[in-house]
Amino acid sequence: MDAFSNLATGFAAAASFQNLGFALIGCLLGTLIGVLPGIGPIPTIAMLLPITFGLDPLSSLIMLAGIYYGAQYGGSTTSILVNMPGEASSVVTCMDGYQMARKGRAGAALSVAALGSFFAGCVGTIFIAAFGPPLAALAQQFNSPDYFSLMLLGLLMAVVLAHGSVIKAIAMVIVGLLFGLVGTDVNSGAVRYTFGVSELWDGIDFLPMVIGMFGIVEIIRNLEEKEVDRTAISTKFRDLWPSASEFAQSWKPVLRGTAVGSILGILPGGGAVLAAFAAYTVEKKVAKDPSRFGKGAIEGVAGPESANNAAAQTSFIPLLTLGLPSNPIMALMMGAMMIQGIQPGAAVMTSRPDLFWGMVASMWIGNLMLVVINLPMIGIWVKLLSIPYRYLYPAILMFCVIGVYGTNANAVMMILTAVFAVFGYIMVRFGCEPAPMVLGFLLGPLMEENLRRSLVLSRGDPMIFLQRPISLTLLICALGLLLVIVLPNVRKSREIAFQEGG
Amino acid sequence: MLRIRSPQDLGAGLVFIAIGVAGVYFGQDLTYGSSSRMGPGYFPIILSYLTIMMGLIIGGRGFALDGPPIQRIPLRPISFVILAILAFGFLIEQIGLALTTVAVIFIASAARKQFNVKETVVLAIVVAALCVGVFIYGLSQPMPAWWGR
């Protein structure tokens, strides 16, 4: 079988000593930042981007991917033991996980979360292996008009499925597209919106923007909150096994969570956070006695924890096959690939099969590592929790600025970082999330190029987008989505989905 | 008289309008071209007008729909954090990573009201040692460890 030999190639590439090492580093770092509140995968990956510069592309992607799904494991630990989500995708786990811990079932909650995540991770990996090649084959038939329509649909979906106001998110996407155009126009050589700053000729650097809008804004927001006491409920290793009845109660939610997560992960704008919320809602709906939720129902841990990990895996599919980043983390992975000179998309699978399949294989290996890292070593992670934020944030800030400076040793980069931090902070205060802007920023130049090529092809006739069947289908989907957002009852149910537990 | 019902929407709308107007104004010298031959100004100008349009809609909602107020912005955290970032940019080439780290940690720590000198000194030394060790010796990042290269 073809997929089989492909996977074998992948495992051969991923199982080299060096790549195993980087997978381990990624998983450890991911767990660490997952456990520590106040720093998530976005700033961590952004911080590490400059370091990956000198690495082999596969090693760097393996490490960065490890951080993302590792954080899903680490985040559940804090949710269960401290009632504080280390990660946004673990917010729902707090509700029942912490209640279980208070009833003395912390160990069971932790192991169900970890084992459910492992199962989901395996399924997610198979999902990528199964859906990657056909999607990539489809993508190879895409022409400029189709790509343009695909990006339009992708951005729109990302906006609809993300948190917060849809209309503001659309506006942020457009601003992002506009910011993405700053610098020299590849076609004409004209310099756009640089205000005489030569550092902007190559466009706005990705890192100052991401670090500023995510890393720094996060620090400032955390500083405004009161420091909370973080005392963990103690657990011992021998308490880790769930009882037979707990096991029986949780395998179905794990299956359902995995299914929900795998599907939502593929959709642009989906990803771990949405998957966890959706899985919790599903569990509550199918439960015989929904009133148990919020009081320590194991299903409320098993479902969402499986879902967020499944989604973390499958959200790589659109990036690796279509070159479309579906959430800010995938945007960073896209940035990492571009730093290495690889244009993400269908071509990766044919030109660098070792890279694609190596990454898929490394995810499975990484998930296995994470179970070991998280369950027996739980005590170490809990100890780390007691580090107060006042010691953490200056160091995090320091790593952020070194990260930016490391890719481009120039004081102007620091000014850009500061500007984006202030801008991002103000927009957050006005209720606009920064994530859509980053997606737009990355896709801006690509959209312009594909629009230009399409219109050259059709001699300026915009009807070309409706004449090509692929493009037409994508645009109809986009239009349908737009109509759906406008319908009031859909809007309501979307709000409810996000409020569950939030 | 119009009454502001959702200050967040109005604020966001004004920012979007400002960005769009700036995009049109600073993009006016770029060649617009035509659909079949898009100039460098074609896509930016379209996006700028779209931004203005979105700004008008969102800002308009600020008068039409009720929304949450803008939370008070405590100036201390944001000022010190921004100052720390800028300080890094200006100091790193002058005095090297070790001392810059100390400076950044001190400024960053001052972002909290409960500023503890002793704790900060220890933290600064630890982080400085860590940064120099990891980033300069471990990862050979392009920055001097000390002054004068």
Side-chain angles (χ1 to χ4, degrees):
Chain A
M1 235 175 83
D2 203 32
F4 218 74
S5 67
N6 279 331
L7 268 178
T9 325
F11 272 102
S16 79
F17 185 70
Q18 186 192 353
N19 288 339
L20 282 179
F22 279 108
L24 182 66
I25 295 176
C27 291
L28 281 173
L29 269 175
T31 310
L32 173 69
I33 55 133
V35 169
L36 294 174
I39 179 162
I42 296 176
T44 313
I45 295 178
M47 251 157 36
L48 288 174
L49 271 186
I51 295 165
T52 62
F53 216 75
L55 290 179
D56 165 74
L58 179 59
S59 304
S60 63
L61 290 177
I62 285 179
M63 181 175 79
L64 297 178
I67 294 173
Y68 181 34
Y69 55 77
Q72 314 305 326
Y73 279 79
S76 51
T77 306
T78 18
S79 294
I80 292 168
L81 295 180
V82 200
N83 196 21
M84 198 152 64
E87 216 45 66
S89 55
S90 310
V91 172
V92 271
T93 312
C94 284
M95 291 187 284
D96 284 287
Y98 183 67
Q99 293 306 321
M100 279 182 74
R102 282 184 52 185
K103 287 179 184 160
R105 297 306 302 160
L110 284 170
S111 52
V112 161
L115 295 174
S117 296
F118 176 66
F119 174 76
C122 296
V123 173
T125 308
I126 297 170
F127 237 72
I128 300 180
F131 281 87
L135 261 176
L138 180 71
Q140 300 219 299
Q141 322 221 326
F142 278 32
N143 238 317
S144 301
D146 310 324
Y147 268 116
F148 183 82
S149 305
L150 174 73
M151 288 180 211
L152 206 66
L153 175 65
L155 285 175
L156 205 59
M157 278 180 100
V159 161
V160 175
L161 294 177
H163 255 290
S165 151
V166 172
I167 187 164
K168 285 179 181 168
I170 294 179
M172 287 298 268
V173 166
I174 299 173
V175 170
L177 290 170
L178 194 56
F179 277 37
L181 299 180
V182 171
T184 314
D185 173 32
V186 276
N187 216 46
S188 64
V191 175
R192 302 187 278 195
Y193 304 118
T194 55
F195 304 101
V197 182
S198 62
E199 280 80 2
L200 291 179
W201 285 354
D202 286 337
I204 296 174
D205 266 47
F206 184 50
L207 274 181
M209 177 163 144
V210 190
I211 296 259
M213 292 188 74
F214 290 104
I216 309 291
V217 169
E218 194 63 33
I219 293 176
I220 298 170
R221 276 164 103 174
N222 282 330
L223 281 172
E224 291 171 359
E225 312 272 312
K226 282 213 177 66
E227 192 148 348
V228 212
D229 184 32
R230 297 199 293 248
T231 32
I233 293 177
S234 67
T235 30
K236 291 194 187 71
F237 182 51
R238 58 183 162 79
D239 298 333
L240 275 176
W241 283 106
S243 67
S245 71
E246 281 166 333
F247 198 83
Q249 271 177 333
S250 44
W251 69 269
K252 272 190 205 152
V254 167
L255 287 183
R256 282 191 290 262
T258 305
V260 169
S262 301
I263 294 164
L264 285 180
I266 300 180
L267 300 181
V273 183
L274 178 69
F277 278 96
Y280 193 80
T281 316
V282 168
E283 286 313 317
K284 226 171 154 179
K285 282 253 163 69
V286 300
K288 283 198 196 90
D289 177 15
S291 66
R292 279 172 49 248
F293 281 81
K295 293 174 194 150
I298 197 162
E299 299 96 311
V301 177
E305 278 302 318
S306 310
N308 67 23
N309 211 43
Q313 309 273 323
T314 55
S315 56
F316 280 89
I317 294 178
L319 177 68
L320 292 174
T321 56
L322 306 173
L324 194 72
S326 53
N327 58 38
I329 304 210
M330 290 307 121
L332 283 165
M333 297 296 294
M334 185 173 170
M337 291 172 94
M338 289 184 350
I339 285 178
Q340 299 276 1
I342 301 164
Q343 181 67 45
V348 174
M349 216 177 288
T350 41
S351 63
R352 293 290 310 270
D354 60 312
L355 195 76
F356 177 83
W357 293 104
M359 233 175 111
V360 173
S362 86
M363 289 181 191
W364 188 82
I365 299 175
N367 272 291
L368 191 64
M369 284 178 178
L370 279 163
V371 174
V372 181
I373 291 172
N374 276 274
L375 287 183
M377 289 166 67
I378 190 84
I380 301 173
W381 303 114
V382 171
K383 279 219 182 68
L384 277 171
L385 260 177
S386 51
I387 304 175
Y389 192 64
R390 65 175 184 279
Y391 298 150
L392 283 179
Y393 82 87
I396 296 172
L397 180 70
M398 197 61 215
F399 294 150
C400 283
V401 288
I402 292 179
V404 172
Y405 197 78
T407 35
N408 195 343
N410 191 326
V412 174
M413 293 302 132
M414 305 327 295
I415 297 173
L416 261 184
T417 311
V419 168
F420 276 111
V422 173
F423 177 70
Y425 179 83
I426 291 172
M427 293 323 277
V428 166
R429 280 281 172 264
F430 287 157
C432 301
E433 289 296 320
M437 186 174 141
V438 174
L439 294 183
F441 176 79
L442 276 172
L443 292 181
L446 290 175
M447 270 186 109
E448 183 184 31
E449 199 43 42
N450 281 304
L451 178 66
R452 176 180 288 141
R453 278 191 210 149
S454 312
L455 291 178
V456 167
L457 240 102
S458 71
R459 301 203 180 79
D461 183 7
M463 290 309 280
I464 189 170
F465 294 108
L466 303 179
Q467 282 156 357
R468 287 190 50 92
I470 300 179
S471 167
L472 180 66
T473 317
L474 293 167
L475 283 180
I476 289 175
C477 293
L479 189 71
L481 198 63
L482 211 57
L483 286 177
V484 162
I485 313 170
V486 185
L487 295 178
N489 53 346
V490 181
R491 240 173 43 203
K492 258 199 201 112
S493 63
R494 178 175 168 273
E495 276 157 26
I496 291 168
F498 277 116
Q499 271 161 11
E500 286 278 345
Chain B
M1 255 311 271
L2 280 170
R3 198 168 57 87
I4 301 170
R5 293 167 67 182
S6 174
Q8 284 193 6
D9 283 356
L10 183 63
L14 290 177
V15 174
F16 290 130
I17 293 170
I19 292 174
V21 168
V24 173
Y25 179 77
F26 292 107
Q28 60 188 350
D29 294 336
L30 298 168
T31 323
Y32 184 76
S34 64
S35 294
S36 54
R37 283 177 155 267
M38 277 169 55
Y42 188 91
F43 202 41
I45 298 293
I46 292 180
L47 290 178
S48 300
Y49 278 116
L50 272 177
T51 312
I52 296 175
M53 196 185 80
M54 296 306 289
L56 288 173
I57 297 174
I58 296 169
R61 285 199 329 172
F63 296 106
L65 304 167
D66 287 311
I70 300 171
Q71 276 177 45
R72 202 180 56 85
I73 297 178
L75 284 175
R76 188 173 176 125
I78 187 166
S79 330
F80 278 98
V81 168
I82 296 299
L83 192 65
I85 297 170
L86 295 177
F88 179 89
F90 289 113
L91 291 176
I92 182 79
E93 285 299 318
Q94 316 295 325
I95 59 174
L97 183 60
L99 293 181
T100 305
T101 309
V102 173
V104 169
I105 300 284
F106 261 87
I107 300 173
S109 298
R112 292 175 75 251
K113 279 199 197 85
Q114 307 86 338
F115 177 69
N116 182 329
V117 182
K118 247 192 242 165
E119 261 182 24
T120 311
V121 170
V122 177
L123 183 69
I125 293 172
V126 171
V127 178
L130 191 76
C131 284
V132 172
V134 171
F135 290 100
I136 291 186
Y137 293 104
L139 300 162
S140 21
Q141 292 285 292
M143 50 191 88
W146 304 102
W147 55 91
R149 288 244 166 215

